[in-house]
Amino acid sequence: MMGDLPRDRILSYHSRWKLIESLRDKFWNRWSTEYLTHLQTRAKWSVQNPNLMENQLVLLKDPKTKPLDWPMGRILEVFPGSDGFVRVVNMKTSTGILKRAITKVVPLPIPVDPASVEKNI
């Protein structure tokens, strides 16, 4: 494959590595700003989003790390506010049980089986 390229088009290992790193960083930046933002739309008062539910899979947002490194968790318990909307959740991650505001979690687009919520599976 590399033998087919003209001599001036062959990249050194270091240049190739830098190019791959750059492409990876661009991909993750676009993925986090475009796709994840689409998952967590905030249409404040015009559209009502469904509440988070127990057993729902979520990602724990962390602005200091790349989205690939965000831990995944499962919601164990929801805490609705006085208006009935969920504001805080307890979630189980690989590091333990955490309590986070819903602004710090991104729900994954995986349907939750209502029967599993009732059984607490």
Side-chain angles (χ1 to χ4, degrees), residues 20-108:
I20 291 171
E21 290 281 313
S22 172
L23 290 172
R24 185 200 65 195
D25 290 342
K26 287 178 185 176
F27 171 80
W28 285 115
N29 283 337
R30 285 196 61 190
W31 185 78
S32 64
T33 57
E34 294 174 15
Y35 181 67
L36 285 181
T37 305
H38 172 72
L39 289 179
Q40 191 181 28
T41 57
R42 296 209 177 118
K44 287 209 174 189
W45 299 282
S46 59
V47 176
Q48 181 178 344
N49 290 331
N51 273 335
L52 295 175
M53 299 180 351
E54 292 179 0
N55 290 326
Q56 190 170 5
L57 289 176
V58 294
L59 292 176
L60 180 60
K61 286 173 46 173
D62 185 4
K64 297 177 186 172
T65 60
K66 294 184 179 182
L68 181 62
D69 297 330
W70 289 354
M72 185 168 50
R74 183 174 298 275
I75 296 177
L76 297 176
E77 189 176 4
V78 295
F79 299 98
S82 59
D83 57 359
F85 294 113
V86 174
R87 303 291 181 198
V88 179
V89 296
N90 270 350
M91 58 185 284
K92 182 178 181 180
T93 65
S94 61
T95 59
I97 297 176
L98 306 170
K99 187 179 236 182
R100 292 291 185 265
I102 62 165
T103 58
K104 302 291 183 192
V105 297
V106 179
L108 293 175

Side-chain angles (χ1 to χ4, degrees), residues 1-12:
M1 178 163 87
M2 299 246 327
D4 296 341
L5 293 175
R7 192 82 175 139
D8 61 337
R9 297 276 304 184
I10 296 176
L11 298 174
S12 68

